[in-house]
Amino acid sequence: MTATRIDGKAVAADLRAEIAVKVKAFEARARRLPGLTVVLVGEDPASEVYVRNKGIQTREAGMVSNEIKLPGTTSQAELLAVVATLNADPAVDGILVQMPLPQQIDTQAIIEAIDPAKDVDGLHPANAGRLNQGIEALTPCTPLGCMILLEKSGVQIAGANAVVIGRSILVGRPVAALLLAANATVTIAHSRTRDLAAVCRQADIVIAAVGKPELVRGDWIKPGAAVIDVGINRVAADSGKTKLIGDVHYESAAAVADVITPVPGGVGPMTIACLLQNTLTAACYREKIDPKSL
Ligand code: NAP
């Protein structure tokens, strides 16, 4: 068997096009545009590229995009003051503080300072709690992207055995909550899991969110499973340059799986598209518009 490769770039482009249409419908009803503000502290080159792409794609979807760049020496009090200003600004629907933050800043304090109604990263405990209670919530973007890729690939989630490798608040825990909400039987594996290979072999759906290059091998995969690789690992390439690889050994896993995401070009492109979706959803909630009615 050779798995079908899930084209995350194409799914993300379709989603962004759908969002752009809905933004117009939102504007007609709310008489304003949804707005996203991204706060970048310091000069991490990867974050700068990511923030630039977010800005471009937000504007392409017809929304208002603002970027606030702060020096790497910014104190926690200064960043909290910026967040408070954005919380109070009626034109701002979504606030995203780009991680990682410099060492002098307590990341959790910043996450908790963001108004949960504007928390388009879905990391505030109020949103995480709502997600775990199965109540509508702003949900972290990468997990949302994983779910959309599974659905668009026709994977049967209800009743499936799903194994999520990783338990971060950013990916592992929220994607497990989304799978549970979709009626999968969910196992969350982590660095202390015994015999991870055997746990994975039980899975109809494997979500790898570990950050360990090609940890998951083909002989860990149940024939016919769906494999979603969230990992982004930069490693040395034969050319002497660097390349991105996932947490799954693609060739061996693709030989047994039914569907599989590549890295790059799988989950990655979905994250910004889902951020746009969350911004529109947050704007709808704030305007008391049902997002499903757009
Ligand atoms: P993280 O916070 O470092 O969490 C990694 C998780 O993997 C932890 O729960 C850890 O277990 C577990 N783990 C580590 N080594 C393991 C092992 N040998 N066996 C089993 N589990 C192990 O990472 P993250 O933020 O969730 O990100 C995970 C990966 O996804 C990274 O490569 C990251 O770059 C990527 N990512 C991609 C996107 C995207 O847009 N595609 C977005 C976010 C993240 P413990 O809890 O026991 O330590």
Side-chain angles (χ1 to χ4, degrees):
M1 183 188 293
T2 300
T4 303
R5 187 174 182 277
I6 301 174
D7 186 348
K9 258 187 172 173
V11 177
D14 287 350
L15 180 59
R16 291 199 306 273
E18 268 173 42
I19 292 166
V21 172
K22 290 182 181 176
V23 166
K24 289 210 171 77
F26 173 87
E27 187 186 14
R29 284 166 66 178
R31 308 245 158 252
R32 69 175 187 88
L33 292 171
L36 171 67
T37 297
V38 177
V39 182
L40 178 61
V41 186
E43 277 150 21
D44 175 50
S47 292
E48 281 186 350
V49 172
Y50 195 48
V51 167
R52 200 178 317 129
N53 285 336
K54 279 175 187 164
I56 293 167
Q57 294 185 22
T58 306
R59 282 184 284 275
E60 276 176 4
M63 301 194 233
V64 177
S65 165
N66 285 307
E67 278 149 40
I68 298 176
K69 289 194 174 175
L70 302 172
T73 51
T74 301
S75 69
Q76 179 161 328
E78 286 166 332
L79 183 54
L80 285 170
V82 169
V83 169
T85 306
L86 296 173
N87 282 344
D89 185 341
V92 175
D93 295 295
I95 303 168
L96 188 146
V97 179
Q98 182 68 39
M99 314 285 174
L101 289 167
Q103 273 185 349
Q104 72 274 16
I105 295 175
D106 174 358
T107 300
Q108 189 61 25
I110 301 302
I111 289 173
E112 293 189 26
I114 295 171
D115 178 350
K118 298 187 176 189
D119 169 38
V120 284
D121 238 354
L123 297 178
H124 192 287
N127 280 315
R130 290 176 67 89
L131 175 64
N132 276 288
Q133 290 192 355
I135 308 169
E136 238 172 33
L138 289 170
T139 304
C141 303
T142 303
L144 264 186
C146 294
M147 296 303 289
I148 294 171
L149 291 178
L150 286 172
E151 284 154 16
K152 296 277 177 196
S153 311
V155 174
Q156 171 76 36
I157 301 174
N161 276 337
V163 171
V164 176
I165 318 174
R167 55 176 164 179
S168 70
I169 62 162
L170 187 62
V171 192
R173 288 171 199 254
V175 83
L178 288 168
L179 286 161
L180 184 62
N183 297 314
T185 301
V186 184
T187 302
I188 305 177
H190 46 77
S191 65
R192 308 286 289 273
T193 297
R194 276 195 213 122
D195 201 351
L196 183 58
V199 172
C200 278
R201 276 186 211 111
Q202 304 296 316
D204 305 305
I205 298 170
V206 177
I207 313 264
V210 192
K212 300 269 181 245
E214 297 179 339
L215 173 80
V216 178
R217 316 299 295 185
D219 62 357
W220 296 21
I221 303 297
K222 178 175 167 180
V227 179
I228 304 290
D229 189 353
V230 183
I232 301 179
N233 306 289
R234 190 169 285 283
V235 297
D238 294 341
S239 62
K241 293 185 182 166
T242 60
K243 62 173 181 176
L244 293 184
I245 60 170
D247 289 341
V248 178
H249 184 264
Y250 185 87
E251 285 75 22
S252 62
V256 274
D258 180 33
V259 293
I260 185 167
T261 57
V263 176
V267 175
M270 294 300 293
T271 298
I272 297 181
C274 290
L275 174 67
L276 305 183
Q277 178 166 296
N278 275 353
T279 303
L280 179 58
T281 302
C284 284
Y285 289 161
R286 293 184 65 235
E287 294 291 344
K288 313 241 177 311
I289 293 172
D290 177 2
K292 294 191 186 87
S293 71
L294 290 179

